[in-house]
Amino acid sequence: MDVAKILDDHEGRIRRLEEQSTTMMIRLANIEKMQAETKNTIYETAKDNQELLKQMMGQMSAVTERLLQAQEKNSKNVWDLLFKIWAVIGPAIGAGLSYLFKK
């Protein structure tokens, strides 16, 4: 083999390796850029989700408070109704029982 041909072949392989190295570095830079963009997107999404969760918790707290107030009001209304029923029926029952026990 001729020494000049061997050197040319060797030089060609070195150029191809350098080109491949440059291509790989560009690809790596693109991957790093995409990774940073993805990280920022995830961070922003998590931040938005956290704010949404806080809003939802606030709304759920308000709804729960309203339900508890309504339940308390209904409970008072039930007791009020029971007292009114006993106020009307109680004397009638008492009169009926006293009539039965007098015989």
Side-chain angles (χ1 to χ4, degrees):
M1 285 196 122
D2 191 0
V3 175
K5 185 176 179 183
I6 293 173
L7 287 176
D8 285 341
D9 186 44
H10 185 66
E11 194 172 315
R13 285 186 286 167
I14 290 174
R15 275 195 210 116
R16 282 193 304 264
L17 286 173
E18 287 174 346
E19 289 171 0
Q20 288 176 354
S21 175
T22 303
T23 303
M24 293 299 277
M25 291 177 83
I26 291 171
R27 287 182 180 174
L28 181 61
N30 286 335
I31 290 171
E32 289 174 347
K33 179 183 173 188
M34 290 171 48
Q35 185 179 19
E37 289 173 357
T38 303
K39 186 176 180 180
N40 284 337
T41 302
I42 290 171
Y43 174 76
E44 290 296 322
T45 303
K47 187 177 170 184
D48 292 344
N49 286 344
Q50 191 174 25
E51 288 180 25
L52 180 62
L53 183 61
K54 284 180 184 179
Q55 289 176 356
M56 289 175 61
M57 291 299 289
Q59 290 175 353
M60 288 297 294
S61 178
V63 168
T64 303
E65 183 65 30
R66 287 183 194 148
L67 287 173
L68 288 174
Q69 288 174 352
Q71 185 179 8
E72 186 177 319
K73 183 179 177 184
N74 288 338
S75 177
K76 287 180 184 177
N77 288 342
V78 168
W79 283 108
D80 190 39
L81 179 63
L82 286 175
F83 286 133
K84 287 179 182 177
I85 291 172
W86 275 109
V88 172
I89 296 177
I93 292 174
L97 288 176
S98 65
Y99 176 75
L100 288 175
F101 286 118
K102 282 186 182 180
K103 285 189 166 188

